[in-house]
Amino acid sequence: DAGVTQSPTHLIKTRGQQVTLRCSPKSGHDTVSWYQQALGQGPQFIFQYYEEEERQRGNFPDRFSGHQFPNYSSELNVNALLLGDSALYLCASSLGGSGYTFGSGTRLTVV
Amino acid sequence: DAKTTQPPSMDCAEGRAANLPCNHSTISGNEYVYWYRQIHSQGPQYIIHGLKNNETNEMASLIITEDRKSSTLILPHATLRDTAVYYCIVRVWGGSARQLTFGSGTQLTVLP
């Protein structure tokens, strides 16, 4: 049984560009959360999607947006990339609000 | 969610028990204590959670003090593969509590 799958694993973008990260949740899970983890820090909550709607959002600007598809997979979009957006982006899936399973993340580098 | 305080780093000899403390003095009655760990370059991994009773699973034991203001995660026989950052998180179980609030965690280094 595959766990949470994220793609790509690594990505390099230039300042001002836009990026899309993808996440396939663990089988049986219906909720997807996204986290940003800067080097040396704990993961910070970006937002959570359930039933194709954003249910909760952390303290992140509108440049960060997302989407959830009918098959529960999700995308994280970041517009107008800044150097400070360089981080590990983690996707976590769950059934409702419990039992979180994390993917291995996408390492985004903005140059 | 209640704030947690953990030491930034700890060392443990391989084969010995690793005891990781966490303070959560402002915990509410309906908040659980969760532990996750993050091995380098991987996503966080769930370890264990509890409300007020001590809990044990195949990975670890969780000891919560009677006043619930602190807890200890115990890895009974630490191995080199247990080297990771360990996060103590306090939150309400499921429902409307949708996010996990991570602190800086404890870097546990298991020494050969």
Side-chain angles (χ1 to χ4, degrees), chain A residues 12-90:
Chain A
I12 299 175
K13 289 287 189 177
T14 303
R15 279 178 297 174
Q17 285 189 316
Q18 177 265 345
V19 68
T20 297
L21 311 181
R22 295 176 175 82
C23 173
S24 293
K26 181 179 179 180
S27 177
H29 285 183
D30 59 5
T31 302
V32 173
S33 304
W34 287 93
Y35 289 79
Q36 180 195 65
Q37 186 173 25
L39 199 60
Q41 299 182 21
Q44 299 298 306
F45 176 75
I46 302 175
F47 43 53
Q48 184 179 81
Y49 277 82
Y50 172 68
E51 292 186 335
E52 301 180 49
E53 291 188 10
E54 183 182 295
R55 298 292 180 166
Q56 191 179 30
R57 188 179 184 92
N59 188 26
F60 279 81
D62 292 343
R63 298 186 297 108
F64 290 77
S65 63
H67 189 77
Q68 185 180 34
F69 299 94
N71 66 353
Y72 307 119
S73 67
S74 177
E75 290 182 349
L76 164 66
N77 301 292
V78 186
N79 294 322
L81 284 167
L82 304 174
L83 295 179
D85 294 331
S86 295
L88 180 68
Y89 288 85
L90 295 161

